[in-house]
Amino acid sequence: MKTHSAAAFTKAFDHITQSRYIQEAVVLIEDSQGNYSWSRGYGGRDIDSPLLMASIGKLFTTTCILALQERGQLSLNDRLSMYIDDQLLSGLHVYQGREYTSELTVSDLLFQASGLPDIFEESKNATKARAIQQDFSYDLVDMIRWTKQLKPRFAPGTKGKAHYADINFDLLGAVIEKVNGTTIADAYEEFIYRPLKLTSTYLPLSVDDHIPSICYKEQRLNLPLFVCSCRASGGTITTARELMIFLKAFFGGKLFNSVVMHTLAQYNRLQLTMGPIRYGGGYMRIGLQTLLTAFRGRGELLGHSGTSGSFAFYYPKKEIFFVGDLNQLAKPSWPIRFVMQLAMKA
């Protein structure tokens, strides 16, 4: 790593925290060998402050799916109907007059290749906007009901197609619970927290658990009901320190055999609102040779970001890991842009 990286990282962090929208933030950067570690906090945050993982939690769900596959308890080719009641699922995926629900597979969900719509961005009820205005709870039955009210984008497994939607990982959470015979919270404990000795990472089960507030523009929102409802698609609380431990383990083969990664490295472009992100088997890929980097970048970022401003990415070309949180719901693209800038300076 360049000797002047710390100064460049500091400059990038100081620049983004100058925005009036950023009330608090934290970033932690480490190399894979453990020889380099740099962190910075803002607004009272540090690497041990609780943060909402949001959609980074999808990496936890991916971990459980891969671990169960390694045990021989499920296959990515399994039909979703093997694990979830047909009556509940019926009518979930009807595209151009034909029902594809029974053809949905675990793989379709993991690769965001089901074609199911994203109710948080596409619903007439403006589910995301509703959460900003008022805290509310929901469950898988609600997610399925809301999704049925929207039109799918394409038939499941259509070559070259992907469409980001939380329902895919909510359904994977239900699969994990059925196969493992536990709650998703207990599955995370078994497959992630315990092996990695994480003590500050948890999936909140009630409003009595500590749930950090979420910033939306200049407002500070308390959404305990909503966060508790996110579960397998992104409700986990952690710290930057423990998120770094997990990210290194995810890409380092400590939680499942890393041989499987080559089967996950099949990336498809997501909807236009997701910018330069492509999706593989349970994680994002962002190429660095794009307009955002004036085509000067090299390599790729692998990992996940969250709509609340969280990020966790691995930069294989330099063997560097970036984790942190900008805590700003109104600017979901900022963590992506920020990590791209950091990678360019590494």
Side-chain angles (χ1 to χ4, degrees), residues 183-186 202-211 224 227-229 231 235:
T183 64
I184 190 68
D186 287 338
Y202 55 94
L203 190 66
L205 302 178
S206 77
V207 295
D208 294 325
D209 292 324
H210 176 68
I211 299 173
V227 172
C228 285
S229 301
R231 306 180 78 239

Side-chain angles (χ1 to χ4, degrees), residues 147-272:
T147 303
K148 288 179 181 180
Q149 295 171 2
L150 301 174
K151 294 181 180 180
R153 294 296 177 140
F154 49 81
T158 299
K159 187 175 180 180
K161 292 280 191 177
H163 190 81
Y164 189 89
D166 278 353
I167 183 68
N168 290 316
F169 278 75
D170 291 315
L171 291 168
L172 286 176
V175 170
I176 291 165
E177 292 185 329
K178 180 71 172 180
V179 173
N180 206 47
T182 67
T183 64
I184 190 68
D186 287 338
Y188 286 175
E189 174 76 32
E190 177 182 352
F191 295 114
I192 301 167
Y193 311 159
R194 201 178 303 143
L196 298 180
K197 297 180 171 58
L198 305 183
T199 59
S200 299
T201 302
Y202 55 94
L203 190 66
L205 302 178
S206 77
V207 295
D208 294 325
D209 292 324
H210 176 68
I211 299 173
S213 59
I214 305 169
C215 295
Y216 177 73
K217 296 184 178 178
E218 295 171 316
Q219 302 177 57
R220 187 174 288 273
L221 309 176
N222 290 303
L223 304 173
L225 294 174
F226 185 83
V227 172
C228 285
S229 301
C230 292
R231 306 180 78 239
S233 62
T236 305
I237 310 300
T238 190
T239 65
R241 187 191 300 274
E242 293 201 348
L243 184 53
M244 178 63 74
I245 292 170
F246 166 75
L247 189 65
K248 288 182 175 181
F250 183 90
F251 287 106
K254 292 183 178 179
L255 297 171
F256 48 83
N257 192 328
S258 59
V259 172
V260 74
M261 294 302 290
H262 80 276
T263 67
L264 306 180
Q266 301 172 35
Y267 309 109
N268 292 307
R269 187 178 298 280
L270 294 169
Q271 55 264 49
L272 287 175

Side-chain angles (χ1 to χ4, degrees), residues 128-147:
K128 181 178 176 181
R130 177 186 167 194
I132 294 169
Q133 297 297 323
Q134 181 181 14
D135 191 21
F136 67 95
S137 62
Y138 64 90
D139 59 19
L140 180 63
V141 175
D142 292 322
M143 285 291 288
I144 290 174
R145 175 168 53 85
W146 294 334
T147 303

